[in-house]
Structure formats: structure tokens, C-alpha cells
Amino acid sequence: MAKRVLDVGNCVPDHAAIRTMLERNFRAEVVQADGPGDALAALRKQPFDLVLVNRKLDQDYSDGLDVIKHIKADAKLSAVPCMLITNYADQQQAAVAAGADYGFGKKNSTRTKLRRASRDS
């Protein structure tokens, strides 16, 4: 069974790049959500193996860390692994402090680095 990934808050070109990379390298099914409302609705409707959240949501430039906090605060969703997509180490640390796994930035979203990150977390 293919792994399911929820991609939250990325613009169309970034979502396409992330989806293509995950489909090709990990054979994952990738579903897009624009913001916290549809992300939480998707998570409550179907199981996901991973949630990727953009640091700043494309829809309204709100903080992606808030999406992670909402997921981790929900007893039914808190076990779902989340990662913040950002190149900023301080933002990654804040996401980890909120319960996320250490994520990755778009600048380093190569297959090798992502495999290493998924193995180390």
C-alpha cells in the first residue's frame, strides 16, 4: 500500500515539485491542502503517514507552525508525523519543540537528503 502524504500550504509549482519527488522516489500518494481548515478535515477523513507543512502558507501567508500545533493538540491526530518545510534552522527547532519531526527546506529537498532525514527521525 502506498504511503499517503498531506502537503499543506505550498503554492502550485512547489506542490507539483514535492509531489513529483515523493511519487518518483518514495511511491507516495500526495494530497494537497491549502490551509489549516482543509488540512484538519483531510486528516479526520482519511489516514495519512506524513504531513508536510510549508513555513508560510501560500493561501494567506499565515504561519505553518500553527498548523502543526493544531494537529499535535488534537488527541486523534497527534500521532501523525509532521514536518515543517523551511530552510531556517530556528523554525525547524520551533517545529520540533511543537512535536514535529525535523523537516527539510526546499533548497535541500533532494532524494538523498530526504532519505537521510526520514532514516534519522
Side-chain angles (χ1 to χ4, degrees):
M1 178 185 265
K3 297 290 185 180
R4 299 188 74 234
V5 177
L6 183 61
D7 176 31
V8 182
N10 279 295
C11 64
V12 173
D14 287 345
H15 170 72
I18 289 168
R19 185 189 72 236
T20 299
M21 184 273 302
L22 290 172
E23 288 173 349
R24 285 184 183 164
N25 295 301
F26 300 97
R27 296 189 177 125
E29 175 189 353
V30 183
V31 175
Q32 185 175 26
D34 293 317
D38 58 339
L40 291 170
L43 286 164
R44 289 182 180 123
K45 185 177 179 182
Q46 300 175 15
F48 285 88
D49 298 290
L50 176 64
V51 179
L52 299 176
V53 183
N54 200 22
R55 182 179 66 87
K56 291 294 182 183
L57 305 184
D58 183 59
Q59 180 182 48
D60 60 4
Y61 212 64
S62 61
D63 196 338
L65 184 57
D66 290 339
V67 176
I68 292 172
K69 289 177 180 177
H70 279 88
I71 293 168
K72 295 302 177 179
D74 187 312
K76 292 181 181 178
L77 304 177
S78 63
V80 178
C82 298
M83 290 182 168
L84 189 66
I85 300 174
T86 181
N87 293 310
Y88 298 106
D90 63 325
Q91 294 296 309
Q92 288 291 359
Q93 293 301 327
V96 169
D101 292 311
Y102 199 91
F104 60 93
K106 292 175 190 169
K107 290 181 184 178
N108 64 358
S109 60
T110 65
R111 179 177 157 189
T112 302
K113 289 180 182 179
L114 283 177
R115 283 190 187 271
R116 189 177 308 125
S118 66
R119 184 181 62 235
D120 293 344
S121 60

